[in-house]
Amino acid sequence: MNGIPESADTVVVGGGPAGIAAAGAAAETGRSVLLVDRRPNLGGNIWYRAVGEGPAADALSDLRRLERGNLRVVASAEVLDVPRSGTALIGRGTDATEVAYGALVLATGARERFLPFPGWTLPNVTGAGGLQLLAKAGAPLKGRRVVVAGTGPLLLAAGAYLRGRGADVRLIAEQTSRRRVWTLALGLIRDRQRLRQALDLRRQLRGIPYLTDCWPLRAEGEGRVQRVTLRHGRKEWSEECDLLACGYHLVPNTELAELLGCRMESGFVTVDEFQATSVPRVFAAGEPVGIGGMELARIEGEIAGRAATEQRERARGLFGERRRLARFRPALDRAFRLSPQLRGLPSPETIICRCEDVSAGALREYGSGREARLQTRCGMGRCQGRVCGPSTEFLWGWSLRGTRPPIVPATVSQLTLRPDSPPTMRQS
């Protein structure tokens, strides 16, 4: 048995800061809550701990809330489908259970954006956050030369963590302009907490060059990456490296929201003041709503959890704090907007869709994402467009969207072991 109950008053999908906050708030009412996360341990990317380490200090109070109330955590599990209103098919191992819910909270987080350039598929070329997670899982870094590149605040956090693990971080290449970085930094003067975090990161990165208007042109090596050619303004040079960690900010995980039919705008789920989506009894919080940092995600999760369990007045009490934290979202968007010059990076031979081995030259023959998808299978592989979709959207304005179940890879047994008479959940 997979240990998944057949019903819950509230189901929360995602075990990062937003999902943990939502589950904790919902459980305080005494109603049954099911928290589902794809990883073995809760925390998401931000609170993911290295091998042998305990929970992050700033996560302890949130995690302790989960020990109270009628709450069950199901780890290493994912929602595969929403076969009918008020039910979710949740897979774990080789089994699946159709769970009836009264309310559903989507706290599905985000993933890194990758932009193709020649050599980006070489071994030892990873995402910035991806290499950080590999280090936490025990990958040896001591003495290894690392170039961190891309855009967004994750570059600084990754660089600081990798250096702390003994990596020789040669430089951080940020594609945005120095003016945009300074504008964002000046805006932090009114936000003491984020300012302290930024200053702490800069202290940890002392001595490591941080170059703006800088990005990789190509990666080269025999069997693995050995050097990366970078452009900084008009200057081009090659930097020897053992690892290239390259990620271009974040893309929200909205596949489940799209499958449910939630209204979307500019790639994000639209919500009202109570974090409610356009689909009745479905709420969303954190990165699927907008990229704004951990503290904002926690507040949104708390509001969603309270609203999902009819604690509307308690939820309203957090509106002011959410409004204050949400001011950072448009500033982030403006600061790390991608340079149009990055569209010229792929050569005709550069692979765009790694799952189906489709090159930029092959895709340029087509006039739309739909045509390219039908003719080349771009976006139809194992990742279902999660990697190449954001790339083609940036490069050519194409959309490879077309979410269909199962939204993650599933076994045949998971898709055939549905109960004949799924349970029903009375709406509160």
Side-chain angles (χ1 to χ4, degrees):
M1 298 297 292
N2 58 21
I4 302 174
E6 293 187 347
S7 66
D9 291 310
T10 302
V11 172
V12 179
V13 185
I20 292 172
E28 288 178 348
T29 64
R31 302 183 188 188
S32 60
V33 178
L34 176 65
L35 174 57
V36 180
D37 191 55
R38 63 185 180 86
R39 287 203 171 115
N41 299 302
L42 298 179
N45 292 338
I46 191 72
W47 284 336
Y48 187 87
R49 304 308 293 162
V51 174
E53 291 185 2
D58 53 354
L60 285 174
S61 62
D62 296 65
L63 291 171
R64 283 175 183 149
R65 289 179 74 192
L66 304 183
E67 299 171 2
R68 302 189 295 269
N70 187 13
L71 186 148
R72 181 180 295 189
V73 175
V74 177
S76 302
E78 295 200 72
V79 175
L80 307 176
D81 189 10
V82 280
R84 54 186 58 81
S85 177
T87 66
L89 183 67
I90 300 175
R92 190 187 197 193
T94 58
D95 296 333
T97 301
E98 196 164 325
V99 180
Y101 60 80
L104 181 67
V105 179
L106 307 179
T108 45
R111 60 189 182 272
E112 284 188 270
R113 183 197 304 272
F114 301 103
L115 295 183
F117 54 89
W120 78 291
T121 57
L122 278 171
N124 288 359
V125 178
T126 71
L131 184 55
Q132 188 177 3
L133 291 175
L134 286 172
K136 291 180 179 182
L141 289 179
K142 190 172 180 62
R144 304 188 78 182
R145 299 166 299 176
V146 180
V147 171
V148 180
T151 199
L154 181 58
L155 301 188
L156 297 176
Y161 185 86
L162 298 174
R163 182 187 228 187
R165 288 280 164 175
D168 176 13
V169 180
R170 310 308 298 265
L171 63 94
I172 297 175
E174 167 57 66
Q175 65 86 38
T176 201
S177 67
R178 179 177 294 273
R179 178 182 60 81
R180 286 180 178 172
V181 170
W182 274 108
T183 300
L184 180 67
L186 290 172
L188 294 180
I189 292 175
R190 298 187 299 271
D191 189 329
R192 293 183 179 179
Q193 183 175 4
R194 286 197 175 103
L195 180 60
R196 283 195 301 269
Q197 293 170 349
L199 292 175
D200 185 53
L201 283 175
R202 290 304 296 159
R203 178 187 58 78
Q204 296 176 58
L205 293 167
R206 187 176 294 122
I208 297 176
Y210 177 72
L211 306 179
T212 54
D213 289 303
C214 183
W215 55 81
L217 294 177
R218 58 187 173 273
E220 299 170 310
E222 297 298 324
R224 61 175 179 80
V225 67
Q226 294 173 312
R227 71 195 69 85
V228 55
T229 300
L230 298 125
R231 171 176 292 165
H232 182 214
R234 297 181 178 180
K235 177 185 175 183
E236 292 184 15
W237 82 102
S238 290
E239 189 77 33
E240 301 292 319
C241 64
D242 303 304
L243 293 153
L244 170 59
C246 189
Y248 289 86
H249 208 26
L250 300 173
V251 178
N253 295 322
T254 58
E255 290 78 15
L256 181 53
E258 292 175 51
L259 190 64
L260 284 159
C262 297
R263 185 178 298 118
M264 308 285 294
E265 185 175 335
S266 301
F268 295 99
V269 183
T270 61
V271 293
D272 67 11
E273 60 181 353
F274 290 101
Q275 302 295 139
T277 71
S278 60
V279 177
R281 303 301 296 162
V282 176
F283 301 79
E287 284 84 358
V289 174
I291 310 300
M294 180 186 69
E295 291 303 326
L296 177 57
R298 290 168 83 179
I299 291 293
E300 289 180 340
E302 186 80 16
I303 292 172
R306 292 180 180 182
T309 49
E310 311 303 332
Q311 305 176 71
R312 294 173 71 87
E313 287 309 309
R314 291 191 66 213
R316 199 183 300 277
L318 297 172
F319 286 3
E321 179 67 4
R322 181 184 58 189
R323 188 163 47 249
R324 182 185 71 81
L325 292 169
R327 296 191 188 111
F328 192 54
R329 266 189 183 143
L332 273 180
D333 291 341
R334 289 190 298 269
F336 300 113
R337 190 175 301 127
L338 297 178
S339 169
Q341 295 182 67
L342 299 174
R343 294 192 176 98
L345 290 181
S347 66
E349 297 77 23
T350 301
I351 295 296
I352 303 296
C353 176
R354 297 185 300 183
C355 295
E356 297 294 327
D357 203 30
V358 184
S359 69
L363 290 172
R364 284 172 179 155
E365 297 181 15
Y366 304 103
S368 70
R370 183 177 185 277
E371 186 182 4
R373 186 181 179 109
L374 291 173
Q375 297 297 326
T376 69
R377 289 188 53 83
C378 179
M380 297 178 69
R382 182 177 176 85
C383 87
Q384 288 291 287
R386 286 171 172 80
V387 175
C388 61
S391 299
T392 60
E393 189 172 3
F394 172 71
L395 293 171
W396 301 301
W398 292 354
S399 173
L400 295 179
R401 295 184 183 275
T403 305
R404 63 181 64 185
I407 58 174
V408 295
T411 65
V412 172
S413 60
Q414 285 177 329
L415 300 179
T416 57
L417 287 178
R418 297 185 184 184
D420 293 331
S421 301
T424 58
M425 173 60 60
R426 180 178 58 82
Q427 300 292 326
S428 56

